[in-house]
Amino acid sequence: MSFVGTLLLLAWPAIVENFLQSMVGFADSLFISKLGLTEVAAVGVTNAILQIYFAVFMSVATAAAVFISRSSGEQDKEKSKVIVTHALLLTLCIGIIFGFLSFFFASDLLSLMGASAAVVDVGSSYFRIIAIPSIFIALVFTIGAILRGTGDTKTPLRAGLWMNLIHIVLDYILIFGFFFEGFGLTGAAIATVLSRMIGVGLLFRGMNRKKLLPPLKLRFWSIQTDLLYRMVRLGTPAMLERLFMRTGQILYFGMIIRMGTDIYAAHTLTGNFTLFSTIVGTGLGVATTTLIGQSIGLGKLDDVKRYGRIATGVTSLVMTVVLFIVWMCSFGAAAWFTTSPEVIHLIIAVLLIDLVAQPATGLVTSLTAILQAGGDTKFPMYVTWFGIWAIRTFGVYLFGVYFGWGLIGAWCAIALDNYIRAGMLYWRYRSFRWVQSI
């Protein structure tokens, strides 16, 4: 099979999995919106805090995926099992730490995010139920990454399908009741935790079926501090990259909010439309990381170069085509979300700007995955920090606020950031210094 065929074959389960998660998020928001605005705000603030948690958990998952993809390429099963052991131990430790933080500081964290007293009162119990068992959130990320790193993207998809289906059913039953009185927001939290626990169980079963779970023998479970250090060293820049992205978003989102309610609504709705190309790009990025990592493990550097060229081209092309279809549909679909002609016009105009930027966005997505697979997680971190803070955030202020171009100016800044970051990442990619020992 050609590399393009292999890439797409590995990517489609990850794409479907991400799409299902987005749909579950939509259903969750719909159910909770029936409870009241305070509950909606509590969930919104909680999710904002959890994004920071996710950044840490995903950094462990990134390290696990890179290490396991290389050992899979080397076809060293014993080494793979040792990597699985250490990835799980690291995940458990981090999950426990964040669970304790959530137990003791739930109200403080919500207040720190600017939540009102009413939102803190309602949200603190919801946050505790969701975040104290952070182990399960972290394990979903790590085990999914381990399986994808071996080239198995279907098992996480199946687990995600059942997890999300159970989540929606339990959500409705526990929020609104079924032959009993519903538990409201508490029910939503319990549904989320139970579905994650089931998802972890299914993922563990998938690892066991693939014989990735190491037996209870000392050589697999004795802690190798050097390996743990190398995993943390590789994962930390990936974590910081996501944190730079999130904190930068908070800053420029604040500028857009001050432009007016209609403008911020148009920005938010545009984000819902662009989600489709993002989901596709993320799935292709997962597949790219796996294939590049396995090729490096096999020592086939010529294949690494060829696969890298193909992956960047395919990702940019597919993401651009997907967003073009979305933009064409937006002429009619935007009216499903708002009746305001001004907001509809803004959505269509901003989507066109993002369509022009989409080839660069595809390059950023694929090149970041390639560099991380090569063990170079620091350069994407530096590029994200520079792009989000020096280009995007400053550009939103300059074009959107100072020059008065509003949302059009803000998205021009986002497009400029993507092209500059794509250029910097491509320069690093061409140097081939990103293939590093881990």
Side-chain angles (χ1 to χ4, degrees), residues 277 314-325 355 357-360 362:
S277 64
V314 169
T315 304
S316 291
L317 177 63
V318 173
M319 288 182 69
T320 302
V321 169
V322 168
L323 195 65
F324 175 75
I325 295 170
L355 178 59
Q358 206 60 199

Side-chain angles (χ1 to χ4, degrees), residues 38 42 106-112 114-125:
T38 302
S107 299
D108 297 319
L109 289 171
L110 292 171
S111 299
L112 191 64
S116 65
V119 172
V120 172
D121 184 52
V122 171
S124 56
S125 60

Side-chain angles (χ1 to χ4, degrees), residues 363-436:
L363 282 174
V364 170
T365 302
S366 58
L367 289 171
T368 299
I370 290 168
L371 266 59
Q372 288 180 342
D376 185 2
T377 53
K378 288 184 179 179
F379 194 82
M381 176 194 71
Y382 295 137
V383 169
T384 298
W385 170 77
F386 176 77
I388 294 297
W389 286 81
I391 306 300
R392 185 175 297 198
T393 303
F394 176 72
V396 169
Y397 172 77
L398 182 66
F399 300 142
V401 179
Y402 184 78
F403 289 150
W405 297 354
L407 193 62
I408 300 294
W411 279 76
C412 284
I414 293 170
L416 179 63
D417 164 47
N418 280 324
Y419 271 102
I420 290 174
R421 281 197 289 149
M424 295 171 71
L425 288 168
Y426 186 70
W427 171 82
R428 179 67 170 180
Y429 166 74
R430 287 294 300 272
S431 73
F432 214 63
R433 293 198 300 269
W434 48 273
V435 178
Q436 300 173 1

Side-chain angles (χ1 to χ4, degrees), residues 13 21 33 42 88 107 109 127 137 177 184 282 347 408 415:
Q21 288 175 352
S33 68
L88 291 177
S107 299
L109 289 171
F127 181 76
I137 307 175
T282 301
I347 291 171
I408 300 294

Side-chain angles (χ1 to χ4, degrees), residues 114-143:
S116 65
V119 172
V120 172
D121 184 52
V122 171
S124 56
S125 60
Y126 174 82
F127 181 76
R128 283 193 175 95
I129 295 170
I130 290 285
I132 288 175
S134 286
I135 285 176
F136 297 108
I137 307 175
L139 284 172
V140 167
F141 280 116
T142 299
I143 301 174

Side-chain angles (χ1 to χ4, degrees), residues 116-375:
S116 65
V119 172
V120 172
D121 184 52
V122 171
S124 56
S125 60
Y126 174 82
F127 181 76
R128 283 193 175 95
I129 295 170
I130 290 285
I132 288 175
S134 286
I135 285 176
F136 297 108
I137 307 175
L139 284 172
V140 167
F141 280 116
T142 299
I143 301 174
I146 289 170
L147 288 166
R148 295 185 196 99
T150 64
D152 179 8
T153 54
K154 291 183 179 179
T155 298
L157 170 61
R158 285 193 291 267
L161 180 63
W162 281 108
M163 182 171 66
N164 292 328
L165 180 62
I166 291 167
H167 187 175
I168 291 175
V169 173
L170 288 178
D171 230 11
Y172 185 86
I173 292 173
L174 295 178
I175 290 173
F176 303 112
F178 189 74
F179 299 118
F180 60 86
E181 187 176 351
F183 301 108
L185 194 60
T186 299
I190 294 171
T192 302
V193 173
L194 289 176
S195 63
R196 282 175 179 155
M197 291 173 67
I198 292 168
V200 168
L202 292 171
L203 289 167
F204 264 117
R205 190 177 72 173
M207 276 210 304
N208 188 51
R209 189 184 297 117
K210 288 186 67 68
K211 298 181 179 179
L212 284 169
L213 279 176
L216 296 175
K217 293 182 179 179
L218 188 61
R219 72 174 186 273
F220 294 113
W221 290 95
S222 59
I223 296 176
Q224 299 178 18
T225 55
D226 177 63
L227 178 56
L228 280 177
Y229 170 75
R230 286 187 288 128
M231 294 182 78
V232 171
R233 186 182 62 187
L234 186 71
T236 299
M239 174 191 71
L240 292 174
E241 180 200 354
R242 291 181 175 89
L243 290 177
F244 289 148
M245 177 72 79
R246 295 299 176 191
T247 52
Q249 283 178 338
I250 291 171
L251 283 179
Y252 71 78
F253 277 13
M255 297 180 203
I256 295 172
I257 289 172
R258 292 183 182 90
M259 293 177 188
T261 303
D262 286 353
I263 290 176
Y264 186 69
H267 174 76
T268 303
L269 292 172
T270 302
N272 292 337
F273 281 103
T274 61
L275 184 65
F276 292 97
S277 64
T278 302
I279 287 171
V280 172
T282 301
L284 288 167
V286 168
T288 300
T289 297
T290 299
L291 292 173
I292 295 292
Q294 288 180 351
S295 298
I296 293 173
L298 287 167
K300 296 182 177 180
L301 297 185
D302 288 338
D303 284 350
V304 170
K305 293 178 181 180
R306 185 164 60 91
Y307 291 169
R309 288 195 300 271
I310 295 172
T312 52
V314 169
T315 304
S316 291
L317 177 63
V318 173
M319 288 182 69
T320 302
V321 169
V322 168
L323 195 65
F324 175 75
I325 295 170
V326 169
W327 177 68
M328 292 293 291
C329 293
S330 70
F331 285 86
W336 299 347
F337 298 91
T338 178
T339 57
S340 168
E342 293 80 8
V343 173
I344 292 173
H345 173 74
L346 271 177
I347 291 171
I348 295 170
V350 168
L351 274 175
L352 180 59
I353 294 170
D354 199 44
L355 178 59
V356 173
Q358 206 60 199
T361 307
L363 282 174
V364 170
T365 302
S366 58
L367 289 171
T368 299
I370 290 168
L371 266 59
Q372 288 180 342

